[in-house]
Every structure is written in C-alpha cells, then in structure tokens.
Amino acid sequence: QVQLVESGGGLVQPGGSLRLSCEIRISMHSLNTMGWYRQAPGKERELVATFTGGGNTDYQDSVKGRFTISRDFAKNTVTLQMSSLKPDDTAVYYCHADQLYMGVQTDFWGQGTQVTVVS
C-alpha cells in the first residue's frame, strides 16, 4: 500500500525553480520525521531537507538558501520548493517519513520523482 506519493519533478534549466509535493496518506501526527532525500546516478541516497522529530528543519549544506521545505497538516502534504537549481541537483527525489512506536522505527518511502537540471 503506497503511503507517500510524490509529484512535481521535471526538466528545468540551471537557475530555474521546481516545486515537489508529497501526499502523505497516513496521519502526519503519527510521524516522527518527514522530508526529502535524493539519489543521483552512481551515488548514494542523501538527505536533502527534513522536519526533525522536534519540528525543526534540517537541510543539506549544498541546498541551504535555495531549497525550502514546508508542510501542511490540513492537506497532508510536505513540499520542497527548489530555486536556483544547478546541474548537480539532478537526481531522483524521494519523499520519506518515519514512525517511532515502542522503540521500533518504521520507514516509508515514495516512489521517487525525477528532477533534471540541464541547459
């Protein structure tokens, strides 16, 4: 059963913007962290931006000042607004969330959405 559904990827020129959205099909109040990861060809999956369990935001250094993560509990969505995109931002972007219950962590992943930054 798919719990996280991403949308909004695509092709954009350097300097452009894209907005990724993640529909969360489980109660957001039950989640610990929620955010975005990405994986470029030949590289490991890496954190892009996330809401921590305490509700703070955490960003990868390379996207600070360019990307903004937000969430809407009423709409059950987590959004990543990406600006000043660079070719190095090209990757498959994954929505991620996790639950903590009785000391057990359960991870949820979306199917991924491709972001390609090219001239």
Side-chain angles (χ1 to χ4, degrees):
Q1 187 176 3
V2 178
Q3 307 287 9
L4 307 178
V5 180
E6 302 104 333
S7 61
L11 183 69
V12 65
Q13 291 185 337
S17 298
L18 278 176
R19 184 183 179 92
L20 304 183
S21 184
C22 176
E23 177 190 352
I24 299 180
R25 298 179 175 178
I26 51 179
S27 170
M28 287 177 62
H29 294 286
S30 72
L31 298 175
N32 180 36
T33 69
M34 57 189 86
W36 293 89
Y37 285 68
R38 68 186 180 188
Q39 187 166 18
K43 295 186 177 180
E44 294 187 353
R45 193 171 296 189
E46 61 181 9
L47 174 70
V48 177
T50 191
F51 284 96
T52 67
N56 297 316
T57 55
D58 189 21
Y59 292 90
Q60 182 190 117
D61 285 346
S62 69
V63 307
K64 287 180 180 178
R66 301 189 298 121
F67 291 11
T68 301
I69 189 171
S70 61
R71 61 186 176 181
D72 188 327
F73 283 88
K75 296 181 179 179
N76 266 41
T77 56
V78 176
T79 300
L80 185 67
Q81 178 66 48
M82 306 184 292
S83 302
S84 302
L85 283 161
K86 306 174 181 179
D88 284 349
D89 295 318
T90 296
V92 178
Y93 284 70
Y94 297 91
C95 184
H96 169 264
D98 75 90
Q99 286 178 330
L100 287 176
Y101 181 71
M102 301 290 283
V104 177
Q105 179 177 339
T106 302
D107 289 285
F108 301 95
W109 293 95
Q111 78 284 1
T113 185
Q114 178 70 46
V115 171
T116 303
V117 184
V118 65
S119 299

